[in-house]
Amino acid sequence: MSAATAKRPKLTVEDASKFYDTPTGRTHALDRFSMDVQDGEFICVVGPSGCGKSTLLWSMAGLHALSSGRILLDGEPVTKPSPQIAMVFQEANMLPWRSLQKNIELPFEIRRQAPARDRIGRLLERVGLAGFEGKYPRELSGGMQQRASIVRALSVDPSLLLMDEPFGALDAFTRDEMNLLIEEIWLETKKTIVFITHSIPEAVFLADRVYVMSARPGRLSKVFDIDIPRPRPLEVQAAPHFVELVAEIKGSIEHKAPARPAAA
């Protein structure tokens, strides 16, 4: 393997731009956004509401075509969903008529593959859901459903895990638990993760680097390296350096001022 190949980023986003045509006109969602993610990195993306964070992530997953620019995974263009990419959405998206086990096995059914039951069993044990395989979504809390969605994503052994504000709907206590859990799983598996969040403390707690997007159309505004040692206990959020990083990132986020009403 050449040195150039060895240093190639796991994920590359080059000048990604996206326009949507809607009944009320054209919307410019992304504007020439670029980023490189190394193999095994945990990257968080933050920005004001409506700045195109989810559009960016869905494009990484091959679910949205870009208007211009390109996304590469291991040097290959991402133009459609790939077995190497898994995604955890804002909602757990559990099918109510299927048990937890059957919900987790759904990606294998779609791919017409035998489910990796040994891997699924280990993951269920790891996230504290062993023994709940026969339960239905209505019998599980929101946090348990999101744990199941993480197991479902990891069960196919992806090389890239995309997470679209997966803990935003959870209460603060459960969200803290889930942040600890996903950090522990990442430390164990070293999967490459791109994580979208509105919470700057969550981004600082989880990330190796935080990418800040501007208000729509989403452009790259700034990148912050998070130099806090791992593993990170929840108590680190009270440390002065952590608080300073959160304040600095918050101060870098631009919000468009609301339009003033025309003078009478």
Side-chain angles (χ1 to χ4, degrees), residues 25-61:
R26 208 173 198 212
T27 298
H28 192 179
L30 284 176
D31 185 39
R32 293 168 295 170
F33 185 95
S34 296
M35 71 188 302
D36 285 331
V37 181
Q38 301 302 318
D39 189 29
E41 275 195 302
F42 198 130
I43 299 299
C44 285
V45 181
V46 300
S49 294
C51 72
K53 298 187 295 296
S54 293
T55 296
L56 174 65
L57 203 73
W58 282 56
S59 299
M60 290 179 186

Side-chain angles (χ1 to χ4, degrees), residues 41-106:
E41 275 195 302
F42 198 130
I43 299 299
C44 285
V45 181
V46 300
S49 294
C51 72
K53 298 187 295 296
S54 293
T55 296
L56 174 65
L57 203 73
W58 282 56
S59 299
M60 290 179 186
L63 297 171
H64 281 181
L66 293 172
S67 301
S68 63
R70 63 177 186 164
I71 296 172
L72 306 174
L73 180 66
D74 292 324
E76 296 296 323
V78 176
T79 58
K80 61 183 179 180
S82 163
Q84 293 302 312
I85 303 172
M87 191 161 176
V88 179
F89 298 90
Q90 296 177 21
E91 303 292 335
N93 294 322
M94 297 281 116
L95 298 177
W97 59 87
R98 296 176 68 107
S99 67
L100 183 148
Q101 181 78 27
K102 289 297 185 182
N103 266 291
I104 290 170
E105 292 179 359
L106 183 59

Side-chain angles (χ1 to χ4, degrees), residues 190-212:
K190 278 300 180 181
K191 297 291 184 187
T192 306
I193 298 179
V194 179
F195 189 107
I196 301 294
T197 179
H198 273 108
S199 170
I200 297 172
E202 181 172 68
V204 173
F205 181 80
L206 290 173
D208 293 321
R209 284 183 292 142
V210 175
Y211 280 73
V212 179

Side-chain angles (χ1 to χ4, degrees), residues 88 94 123 127 145-155 161 163 166-167 178 181-182 185:
V88 179
M94 297 281 116
L123 287 166
V127 303
Q145 290 189 43
Q146 278 297 60
R147 288 170 189 261
S149 71
I150 292 170
V151 171
R152 181 173 57 194
L154 291 173
S155 68
L161 182 61
M163 308 187 77
F167 310 143
M178 296 299 289
L181 175 66
I182 200 63
I185 289 174

Side-chain angles (χ1 to χ4, degrees), residues 18 24 39 51 69 77 139 147 159:
K18 178 67 176 178
T24 57
D39 189 29
C51 72
E139 301 175 276
R147 288 170 189 261
S159 64

